[in-house]
Amino acid sequence: MPVFNSVTCPICGCLCDDIEVTVENNEVVKIKNGCAVCEAKFIGYKGEHRIHTPLMRKDGKLVPVSMDEAVHAAAEVLANANYPILYGWSSTSSEAQRVGVELTEEVGGIMDNTAVVCHGPSILGVQEVGIPTATLGQIRHRADLVIYWGCDPWSAHPRHLERYTSFTEGRFEKSEWTSYMQKLKAGAGKKKLDSALRSGLAKGPVPKPQACYVGGVPPSLSKGGRKLIVVDVRKTMTAEMADFFLQVEPNKDYEVMQAIRALVKDQELDVDSVGGVPVEYLEAVADALVNCEFGVIFFGMGLTQSAGKFRNIEVAIQLVRDLNARTKFMIMPMRGHFNVTGADVVQAWQSGYPYGVDFSRGYPTYNPGETTCTDVLLRDELDASLVIAADPGANFPKRAVQNMVKHPLIVIDPHMNATAMLGDIVFPVAFVGIEVDGTAYRMDHVPIPLHKVVEPPEGVLSDEEILKKILEEVRIIKAQKAEQEKKEAA
Amino acid sequence: MITLTPLKQFKYPIHAECITPETFQGKTASEIAKLPLNEGNKPKQLGDLFKIEESAAEAPNIIINGDVSEVRHIGQGMKTGEIVVNGNAGMHLGEKMAGGKITVNGDVGGWAGSAMKKGLIEIHGNASDYLASPYRGISEGMKGGKIIVDGNVGSDSGCYLRGGLIKIKGNAGPFLGYHISDGIIYVEKNAASRLGANMVGGKIVVSGVADELLPSFTVDAVKPKVKIDDTESAQGPFYVFLGDLAENGTGKLFISKANNPQIGPIYGKYL
Amino acid sequence: MTELIIKNGFVFDPLNGINGEKMDICVKDGKIVKTVNEHRAKKIDATGLTIMPGGVDIHTHIAGGEVNTGRMVRPEDHVKDAVAKTAITRSGTGYSIPSTFVTGYRYSRMGYTTVMNPSMAPLEAKHTHEELNDIPLLDKATFPLIGDWWFVLEYLQKGDFEGCARHVAWMLDTTKGYAIKIVNPGGLESWGFGRNVHSIDDQIPNFCITPRDIMVGLAKVNKMLNLPHTIHLHTNNLGLPGNYQTTLDTMQALEAVPNDGKPNMHITHLQFSSFGGDGWGNMKSAAPEISKYINNHSHITADMGQVIFTDTTTMTADGPFEYTLYSLSGHKWVNSDVETETSGGIIPFHYKKNNAVNTIQWSIALELALMIEDPYKILMTTDHPNGGPFASYPKIIAWLISNKARMATLKRCNKKGQKKSLLPTLNRELSLYELAIVTRAGQAKALGLKNKGHLGVGADADVAIYNVNPETTDIANKYKTVRKAFRDAAYTIKDGKIVVKDGKVVMNVDGKTMWLDVETQQKCEVDQDMRQKFKQYWTIEYDNYPVYDHYVKVPEVIPIKASV
């Protein structure tokens, strides 16, 4: 029973690479160190939705076809398209992403990745004001103030706190795990009592839910050791663990941050509260920000997808930038897919632009809102799509998906996901990070190798191999077309 | 005068930097028909996409009759002359314009008038987002000239404005005048949230209803009217707000007192 | 395999003492050979043309995490310089931070064949190598940033030079690096908490050691490891008025590591470290003081760091310096610190002719090039893209060979800056021979690259042919002709293949990535030591840290036997 150490988990932007995988008869039978999501993927990836042969839609139904037939059909679609989109990329390796750029350039289409519905606004914000950031180890070693704003790592990046922030041991800061456990125990007793009072099992006044900002600024903001602040519109699981939870009204994060910026610059505000938060609480937060040794803000969809979008990220970065005049402060987006960072990185080094790259003019152009595929889909400007390592059929706006299925749709995925179910040509592929090697980039841009621990199913190739086959066939078809046109012109 | 009529309903984006008075100047209709441009990823010629007719009339230099909402960069960088579009026009209309006039009897796409230096753009319909705002990563916007929109404008219009006038007769979307340093934006109707965010100079005037202002603006005075340009002043009274304090800015927001009774109770005590 | 003969050109090959001699160059199987079969060989008629070894660039930021973040944050830089795909070449974008394919094509069109990527954060080494793989037509190598690496700080603090050397060897192997890069020693670790060092004898917070200790210690380590290049240093206090004193202190400190009269340190982009005055108002050139020292000592080589008047992008591992630039300019600022190893920063910067300080900076680099007598000691770079894009090299060539060119630019500069420039007093003009030294021979020699920078038998067949006739051209007067010639090479030959003709890429070849395989005596023990301590220092696993062989598409492994 081979046991693989230092395996990299291919799920989220944490890219934990300390997973121990036990394999028996080409099956993963045990996982150590991974979170529940990691275990679910490694044990369950072979599920009932796995595709084993290429498929094509004939008479309205997807039927098995040979690899050659599928490759040729896909290549014909792309070679003849006037404005194709090649979307996805976030759950495959940088090696496959490189072929993606070459293919998109060859067919004169748009290459876009899942950032467009996720952290694209973060990239736009960074392109306006830059970003003071660091690798996650700097946070682990140095941060005494950790802020999660508009994100819930407990649910979405489960090991983030234990590997990189509040619950890690750093060279200069210790883990807060013990004090958190003590707080939990102390809180558990009170929770039990409150519950008993409410259900009448114990005698006493029924506790009413406490309004958020009652009783003054909590003393936990001035304790020693690492501090954890969570800012969100509702009390998430991560917020339950925080030393201070700041509840803001939905779509008011921009106002709150702009107010804190003004306070950090010693300005006075005319108003008494911002986004539902009394100004004295904002002043306490501003104090905590300025007085820390090393602070960091992690943020997620709460900022990128609420009103303001990229300007929310911009103001968060501007706040962190302003704070660097007083102390050391960093900011980092909580990237979702395990290699969406890689997709941005690869597209940028080969074309200059990170996502929404349009090759239709023979050279790369970039203008989110114009060249991003969600917008192209909403305006129905395309005439073909290739989707790989993503599931827009499930995640995109309804009208975008309706327009997508009006045109030939090529899907490359291990699973019969929502997009594959709508596809016209479907290619099964191996799971990167389980059945295929590769490289991925963590949310802080650190490249980490992905490892193969089991063989893929018989006849199932990697993303990189399928893309190369399609690219080769596209080139043959285009050469034949050019020959034909030369003959006709003569 | 050259008249262009689309030969079909365009579906794929067309990049038409070649449609400017300077480029057409001195060319016959058949030479103009040979001007190269892309339709999607296919290289075409202007004559493949438009019927091109020439007449003796001097002005306007170019008339476009039809829906050109997929035709981008019309009038890019033009310095003289006049273009009239009788239909909806695509993105980047009049980008980098340095003189002359563009009239659109219809709506326009995003980034109309981006990086404008001089000239006049009149949009009789609605404008989309990023009106007069610069390309990603550039922190200098429209430098001069005049843009008038009869209808509404989308979000992030007039960003980094540093001169000239933008007049909006309808409603404006969020982040109007983001980081404006000079110049004037005048909204006759309503302005949405985050008005004048990161403003460091210049003026934004709102005669209709303004959404809740950013907390980093401070009320300064009440003024009876405000000058828009040499031909017009807006009648108040207006609350005058200074900001954006987060940028130590000294820009001014003029918010109609009559249409914003919600301001008095919050800010009145400072006047 | 293929044979090639380049006939009848004027050859400038300083490392072999050849100064404009009319001779044939013979190539076989990618190497320079004595003779070939003239009937079989492909011929290039180089009558009236100048032949030099292919260009070598000792310091250019072209690949890796920091460069790529620079690309990502500056779409406005690329949009003005789009490069279309051709039948042979890939598309891309350019200006100050070209995409990878365009980087290769543009260097090759100027006759360059070898480039050094000087800053690689070891934790991100795989990224650097992935990008280097995508840079065609050039041989390349990269330098890991080690100056503030915690292991180096700890071993030097203990005075354990041998232990430090073995760990540095481990690092060079593991990251497939070529040289020891040191940036603002001590400053990067201090920047971890937002601080900096201000002299070479400042104590670094949390580590009882000084910048002097780091530089001297690593110079000793460099010697023990028998590395082909010296330590490659970006000085403390870079970019601050009055910093020339720190540079002098630094050079004096290195006198403590004798090296048989050979260099023991290379100071990069020396212009930024040669500021006099004590504030921006009275900032002036300290090129005389720095040049005097370098002229009188043999242990220093340097490269210019020429400023070009354009909108470019600064990017260095010197995090605190980049923050200072942000405080001065207010432009968008990226900071990118890397755990256990280094810091970094990026900020756009526009050098303007009408700015006094920028004018003086422009002048300083040229003053250094003209006042330092031995061209082997002062090589041509812009610290791309910090001083300006590498595509501007032909402009610098014109300034180096022609006083007329220098004065033509100077007279359009800020008046106060003009008055402070020493260029009107410097009439020296480099000859083509000296030009060959500062752009190839001297670069290769400083780097210890045995088969580059010269055209002797056995050298790699990397040849540049330029449209300049040294017999009939007064290069100082006709500098515009020279500039054009060096911008669009008549031919660039890489490994014996013609890749550029008349300034256009005609063939695509992969270059090689060179790296050192350093053999020390206690390799096993060092591996064990690293494995045990790894989790305390980094947030990835020991097994996932190294740059495995498959990350380097076309390797050239250089075996080195260390003395420890």
Side-chain angles (χ1 to χ4, degrees):
Chain A
M1 285 214 309
V3 175
F4 295 85
N5 288 307
S6 305
V7 175
T8 309
C9 171
I11 301 194
C12 82
C14 280
L15 221 51
C16 305
D17 70 329
D18 62 344
I19 313 300
E20 189 188 286
V21 179
T22 308
V23 173
E24 196 178 297
N25 293 328
N26 202 42
E27 298 255 349
V28 174
V29 293
K30 191 162 108 172
I31 293 290
K32 252 178 88 176
N33 295 332
C35 69
V37 193
C38 169
E39 197 160 324
K41 181 162 184 178
F42 271 101
I43 310 280
Y45 70 97
K46 271 193 180 171
E48 65 203 87
H49 301 290
R50 194 74 197 264
I51 316 173
H52 290 94
T53 75
L55 305 162
M56 273 179 67
R57 197 169 292 277
K58 300 188 174 177
D59 293 325
K61 272 178 67 167
L62 282 173
V63 295
V65 296
S66 71
M67 180 64 74
D68 282 346
E69 187 181 347
V71 166
H72 182 78
E76 279 278 353
V77 165
L78 292 173
N80 294 322
N82 290 288
Y83 204 47
I85 60 174
L86 286 81
Y87 171 77
W89 310 105
S90 301
S91 296
T92 186
S93 63
S94 63
E95 289 80 2
Q97 290 158 352
R98 293 219 288 280
V99 184
V101 181
E102 204 175 347
L103 177 59
T104 314
E105 184 191 65
E106 186 67 51
V107 303
I110 293 179
M111 182 171 181
D112 206 356
N113 61 63
T114 61
V116 77
V117 289
C118 185
H119 270 286
S122 307
I123 297 175
L124 296 179
V126 169
Q127 289 176 335
E128 297 297 313
V129 291
I131 179 168
T133 192
T135 62
L136 287 164
Q138 288 282 17
I139 314 303
R140 174 184 138 198
H141 285 303
R142 305 181 195 261
D144 63 331
L145 177 61
V146 176
I147 304 177
Y148 289 104
W149 197 312
C151 58
D152 181 20
W154 198 250
S155 310
H157 294 87
R159 293 180 76 207
H160 201 261
L161 282 90
E162 84 188 50
R163 273 178 69 77
Y164 309 124
T165 65
S166 308
F167 300 150
T168 58
E169 290 292 325
R171 189 181 188 118
F172 306 107
E173 288 291 332
K174 299 276 159 272
S175 167
E176 285 298 305
W177 180 246
T178 344
S179 82
Y180 165 63
M181 286 274 94
Q182 285 164 351
K183 192 171 103 177
L184 257 194
K185 282 201 192 126
K190 182 168 188 300
K191 266 191 176 166
K192 282 203 183 114
L193 181 58
D194 282 353
S195 175
L197 287 169
R198 265 186 244 115
S199 60
L201 287 171
K203 283 203 172 64
V206 177
K208 289 199 179 60
Q210 254 203 342
C212 198
Y213 300 108
V214 164
V217 177
S220 55
L221 271 191
S222 47
K223 70 168 208 200
R226 296 198 208 253
K227 289 177 270 298
L228 176 63
I229 298 180
V230 169
V231 185
D232 213 318
V233 299
R234 71 225 186 287
K235 202 166 195 185
T236 58
M237 294 292 286
T238 317
E240 297 274 350
M241 298 191 291
D243 293 306
F244 187 44
F245 166 55
L246 196 70
Q247 184 163 15
V248 305
E249 282 167 6
N251 295 312
K252 290 288 183 189
D253 299 275
Y254 192 91
E255 280 76 10
V256 171
M257 284 198 259
Q258 194 75 328
I260 298 177
R261 284 186 69 207
L263 293 173
V264 164
K265 291 189 171 169
D266 295 319
Q267 300 274 14
E268 276 178 30
L269 306 181
D270 285 359
V271 296
D272 297 322
S273 85
V274 183
V277 186
V279 168
E280 64 258 29
Y281 280 83
L282 294 180
E283 280 166 353
V285 168
D287 278 339
L289 296 176
V290 165
N291 291 320
C292 71
E293 286 287 317
F294 185 119
V296 60
I297 297 179
F298 292 98
F299 64 92
M301 302 297 98
L303 289 185
T304 67
Q305 302 299 324
S306 63
K309 299 239 177 123
F310 80 96
R311 299 255 183 238
N312 290 338
I313 314 310
E314 208 179 346
V315 70
I317 293 173
Q318 285 167 330
L319 169 58
V320 170
R321 221 170 56 163
D322 294 345
L323 286 166
N324 273 284
R326 314 279 292 265
T327 181
K328 180 86 178 179
F329 228 100
M330 308 274 97
I331 182 167
M332 192 185 309
M334 299 285 274
R335 303 308 293 270
H337 288 266
F338 72 93
N339 204 16
V340 59
T341 306
D344 295 337
V345 162
V346 170
Q347 288 189 244
W349 93 53
Q350 291 207 339
S351 77
Y353 305 113
Y355 74 112
V357 188
D358 184 345
F359 287 93
S360 66
R361 305 187 73 177
Y363 50 84
T365 61
Y366 163 81
N367 192 17
E370 180 179 357
T371 59
T372 31
C373 72
T374 29
D375 300 283
V376 168
L377 280 165
L378 289 169
R379 293 189 299 262
D380 198 16
E381 288 166 349
L382 75 160
D383 62 347
S385 319
L386 181 148
V387 174
I388 175 171
D391 194 9
N395 300 322
F396 270 17
K398 178 170 155 185
R399 199 154 48 90
V401 180
Q402 284 171 332
N403 287 340
M404 189 167 72
V405 302
K406 283 188 199 161
H407 312 285
L409 171 59
I410 304 159
V411 182
I412 304 175
D413 206 272
H415 279 152
M416 185 56 74
N417 59 18
T419 314
M421 287 199 273
L422 301 166
D424 297 301
I425 307 166
V426 181
F427 293 91
V429 281
F431 271 101
V432 168
I434 305 179
E435 299 166 334
V436 173
D437 281 344
T439 308
Y441 285 77
R442 200 167 66 179
M443 63 168 71
D444 59 349
H445 289 228
V446 172
I448 301 182
L450 302 162
H451 303 287
K452 171 176 171 167
V453 295
V454 292
E455 292 295 327
E458 178 87 37
V460 171
L461 302 175
S462 69
D463 291 307
E464 194 184 347
E465 287 167 308
I466 298 279
L467 290 166
K468 280 187 172 152
K469 277 185 186 293
I470 298 176
L471 175 59
E472 204 183 304
E473 188 69 11
V474 162
R475 289 193 165 128
I476 292 173
I477 292 171
K478 282 177 83 176
Q480 286 170 348
K481 241 172 95 170
E483 270 298 304
Q484 184 76 345
E485 278 165 12
K486 246 175 44 191
K487 284 192 189 137
E488 282 169 5
Chain B
M1 177 174 88
I2 302 284
T3 304
L4 302 173
T5 312
L7 289 170
K8 58 180 179 184
Q9 181 69 35
F10 298 126
K11 173 187 162 71
Y12 308 116
I14 294 165
H15 292 90
E17 287 92 342
C18 59
I19 300 181
T20 68
E22 283 88 353
T23 311
F24 285 8
Q25 179 84 346
K27 290 190 174 72
T28 64
S30 64
E31 283 170 330
I32 291 172
K34 291 204 173 64
L35 288 169
L37 78 182
N38 258 39
E39 184 190 15
N41 61 17
K42 301 287 182 282
K44 297 264 166 84
Q45 294 179 338
L46 201 58
D48 297 328
L49 304 172
F50 292 89
K51 180 163 89 170
I52 301 170
E53 293 161 296
E54 200 171 357
S55 85
E58 286 279 324
N61 305 66
I62 303 172
I63 293 188
I64 303 176
N65 283 330
D67 178 11
V68 284
S69 41
E70 283 298 326
V71 183
R72 300 176 184 164
H73 300 280
I74 294 171
Q76 171 147 321
M78 63 188 266
K79 296 195 177 83
T80 58
E82 189 177 347
I83 300 178
V84 174
V85 181
N86 293 316
N88 297 333
M91 300 180 194
H92 303 288
L93 176 93
E95 186 165 291
K96 299 200 175 90
M97 190 171 179
K101 181 176 175 190
I102 304 178
T103 308
V104 179
N105 294 310
D107 299 334
V108 296
W111 294 281
S114 173
M116 185 174 183
K117 288 188 249 194
K118 241 161 94 168
L120 170 62
I121 301 178
E122 280 183 13
I123 298 159
H124 292 298
N126 300 316
S128 184
D129 306 315
Y130 296 110
L131 178 77
S133 295
Y135 182 70
R136 306 275 166 204
I138 297 181
S139 47
E140 285 165 341
M142 172 176 169
K143 200 170 174 182
K146 196 163 158 179
I147 302 179
I148 304 174
V149 181
D150 287 353
N152 305 323
V153 308
S155 74
D156 295 275
S157 296
C159 296
Y160 295 103
L161 183 71
R162 48 184 173 143
L165 165 64
I166 302 173
K167 184 167 160 184
I168 301 157
K169 295 187 181 166
N171 304 319
F175 286 107
L176 180 71
Y178 177 85
H179 215 297
I180 171 178
S181 59
D182 205 349
I184 303 183
I185 304 177
Y186 177 28
V187 185
E188 286 184 358
K189 289 225 189 103
N190 307 331
S193 62
R194 286 102 192 236
L195 181 71
N198 278 346
M199 174 180 212
V200 292
K203 284 193 251 186
I204 306 176
V205 179
V206 180
S207 291
V209 180
D211 272 3
E212 184 185 310
L213 297 176
L214 285 172
S216 44
F217 279 84
T218 180
V219 74
D220 187 50
V222 178
K223 288 263 159 78
K225 62 180 178 182
V226 58
K227 181 173 167 184
I228 302 297
D229 64 7
D230 292 331
T231 64
E232 129 178 62
S233 287
Q235 285 304 320
F238 292 103
Y239 290 111
V240 182
F241 284 84
L242 298 178
D244 187 325
L245 300 177
E247 289 287 322
N248 298 322
T250 51
K252 292 194 175 124
L253 300 178
F254 292 81
I255 312 292
S256 152
K257 186 163 178 211
N259 286 322
N260 291 279
Q262 76 281 7
I263 288 187
I266 308 172
Y267 294 93
K269 57 180 179 273
Y270 299 104
L271 287 165
Chain C
M1 263 186 63
T2 33
E3 289 173 297
L4 173 67
I5 180 165
I6 306 167
K7 290 196 72 68
N8 214 22
F10 296 100
V11 177
F12 293 88
D13 184 5
L15 285 171
N16 294 309
I18 298 172
N19 186 357
E21 210 181 296
K22 224 188 259 187
M23 56 188 275
D24 295 344
I25 301 287
C26 298
V27 169
K28 185 176 174 181
D29 294 341
K31 292 280 190 184
I32 306 287
V33 295
K34 203 144 184 262
T35 55
V36 285
N37 181 324
E38 281 210 37
H39 299 291
R40 231 175 22 214
K42 190 175 164 87
K43 281 187 198 44
I44 294 179
D45 179 6
T47 309
L49 302 178
T50 291
I51 320 263
M52 291 191 180
V56 178
D57 196 338
I58 195 170
H59 188 109
T60 175
H61 297 269
I62 50 171
E66 182 145 81
V67 174
N68 206 39
T69 301
R71 291 186 186 110
M72 279 207 260
V73 312
R74 294 211 74 191
E76 78 281 5
D77 174 84
H78 313 316
V79 77
K80 54 189 180 185
D81 188 4
V83 178
K85 172 177 167 16
T86 70
I88 311 171
T89 58
R90 298 281 302 269
S91 69
T93 49
Y95 212 64
S96 73
I97 321 171
S99 53
T100 47
F101 307 119
V102 171
T103 301
Y105 307 144
R106 284 196 179 161
Y107 258 114
S108 190
R109 280 163 44 194
M110 296 191 300
Y112 272 78
T113 51
T114 303
V115 295
M116 298 284 127
N117 182 60
S119 277
M120 171 174 72
L123 180 60
E124 298 175 350
K126 293 179 198 59
H127 183 172
T128 304
H129 284 285
E130 289 207 288
E131 286 197 28
L132 290 178
N133 288 338
D134 275 350
I135 298 179
L137 303 173
L138 302 172
D139 286 345
K140 42 244 159 190
T142 179
F143 309 159
L145 289 152
I146 311 184
D148 281 54
W149 181 31
W150 283 356
F151 278 80
V152 161
L153 300 180
E154 288 166 10
Y155 274 91
L156 290 182
Q157 197 225 315
K158 284 187 282 193
D160 180 0
F161 297 104
E162 291 196 359
C164 183
R166 293 194 195 104
H167 283 77
V168 169
W170 177 90
M171 182 57 97
L172 283 168
D173 263 1
T174 303
T175 58
K176 295 197 165 32
Y178 186 82
I180 295 175
K181 177 72 188 292
I182 307 170
V183 172
N184 185 7
L188 311 192
E189 167 50 37
S190 307
W191 185 241
F193 280 113
R195 292 186 270 280
N196 198 3
V197 292
H198 304 288
S199 87
I200 69 169
D201 291 306
D202 275 2
Q203 286 282 333
I204 296 157
N206 298 311
F207 293 87
C208 302
I209 183 175
T210 64
R212 179 193 295 266
D213 295 331
I214 297 174
M215 294 185 284
V216 169
L218 285 174
K220 289 189 181 149
V221 159
N222 203 77
K223 238 185 121 178
M224 285 182 208
L225 293 178
N226 296 319
L227 301 181
H229 185 35
T230 59
I231 55 172
H232 195 105
L233 177 77
H234 159 138
T235 60
N236 300 112
N237 283 331
L238 184 118
L240 299 178
N243 65 8
Y244 81 95
Q245 190 56 60
T246 309
T247 310
L248 286 175
D249 292 343
T250 301
M251 296 193 285
Q252 278 158 5
L254 265 291
E255 290 173 22
V257 189
N259 196 21
D260 305 319
K262 288 186 296 195
N264 65 11
M265 176 166 72
H266 179 90
I267 302 185
T268 187
H269 43 68
L270 186 59
Q271 170 266 127
F272 291 105
S273 305
S274 305
F275 292 1
D278 52 33
W280 294 112
N282 67 2
M283 180 257 194
K284 60 180 184 161
S285 164
E289 291 87 337
I290 300 291
S291 307
K292 183 168 170 204
Y293 183 95
I294 294 180
N295 284 333
N296 291 325
H297 293 85
S298 60
H299 63 287
I300 306 288
T301 57
D303 63 82
M304 288 163 72
Q306 178 69 48
V307 149
I308 305 290
F309 295 113
T310 188
D311 179 23
T312 187
T313 309
T314 66
M315 52 174 68
T316 74
D318 195 342
F321 170 64
E322 295 289 339
Y323 180 72
T324 305
L325 282 183
Y326 162 65
S327 320
L328 291 172
S329 68
H331 291 147
K332 54 186 161 185
W333 164 58
V334 172
N335 187 77
S336 51
D337 297 343
V338 179
E339 67 215 52
T340 306
E341 296 168 0
T342 179
S343 72
I346 301 169
I347 192 163
F349 202 85
H350 194 152
Y351 294 104
K352 296 190 174 137
K353 283 203 186 86
N354 60 14
N355 178 295
V357 169
N358 295 161
T359 301
I360 299 169
Q361 284 184 275
W362 171 82
S363 185
I364 288 175
L366 292 167
E367 292 164 17
L368 290 166
L370 301 171
M371 289 199 265
I372 294 175
E373 289 149 7
D374 181 358
Y376 279 98
K377 288 182 180 173
I378 180 73
L379 310 167
M380 186 186 91
T381 63
T382 59
D383 185 21
H384 165 86
N386 289 282
F390 65 79
S392 334
Y393 284 177
K395 283 195 183 142
I396 312 175
I397 288 174
W399 291 322
L400 288 171
I401 61 161
S402 166
N403 188 27
K404 191 168 151 197
R406 297 193 287 264
M407 292 304 115
T409 305
L410 181 62
K411 74 164 185 250
R412 296 203 308 275
C413 291
N414 170 281
K415 293 272 182 298
K416 183 173 161 195
Q418 280 190 48
K419 287 207 195 79
K420 289 198 174 178
S421 168
L422 302 171
L423 291 179
T425 66
L426 299 167
N427 292 319
R428 179 178 171 201
E429 291 168 334
L430 263 60
S431 63
L432 284 175
Y433 186 82
E434 289 170 313
L435 186 63
I437 295 172
V438 302
T439 56
R440 36 214 95 210
Q443 309 242 5
K445 184 167 177 211
L447 285 165
L449 290 169
K450 302 248 169 1
N451 298 326
K452 304 287 187 201
H454 73 100
L455 295 173
V457 170
D460 289 347
D462 294 343
V463 190
I465 306 179
Y466 298 109
N467 216 330
V468 179
N469 186 327
E471 259 181 7
T472 61
T473 315
D474 175 1
I475 60 173
N477 240 316
K478 294 273 178 234
Y479 62 88
K480 287 190 184 163
T481 311
V482 177
R483 199 165 65 199
K484 187 163 185 292
F486 278 82
R487 197 183 65 214
D488 297 315
Y491 291 89
T492 307
I493 292 152
K494 182 80 193 71
D495 296 319
K497 300 192 184 82
I498 301 173
V499 293
V500 165
K501 190 166 185 298
D502 295 324
K504 285 202 169 47
V505 174
V506 296
M507 184 195 291
N508 219 338
V509 299
D510 286 325
K512 303 184 284 287
T513 300
M514 302 177 279
W515 59 276
L516 305 180
D517 182 6
V518 185
E519 195 191 302
T520 57
Q521 286 154 15
Q522 287 174 23
K523 211 169 166 125
C524 226
E525 284 90 330
V526 173
D527 281 348
Q528 277 296 81
D529 188 40
M530 293 303 301
R531 189 183 278 279
Q532 277 174 352
K533 292 186 181 153
F534 212 80
K535 271 185 149 74
Q536 291 170 283
Y537 288 78
W538 284 278
T539 52
I540 73 171
E541 294 293 297
Y542 175 84
D543 287 323
N544 289 326
Y545 189 83
V547 175
Y548 290 108
D549 287 344
H550 68 83
Y551 278 103
V552 181
K553 199 167 164 189
V554 187
E556 183 179 310
V557 184
I558 300 170
I560 305 281
K561 210 165 159 92
S563 306
V564 293

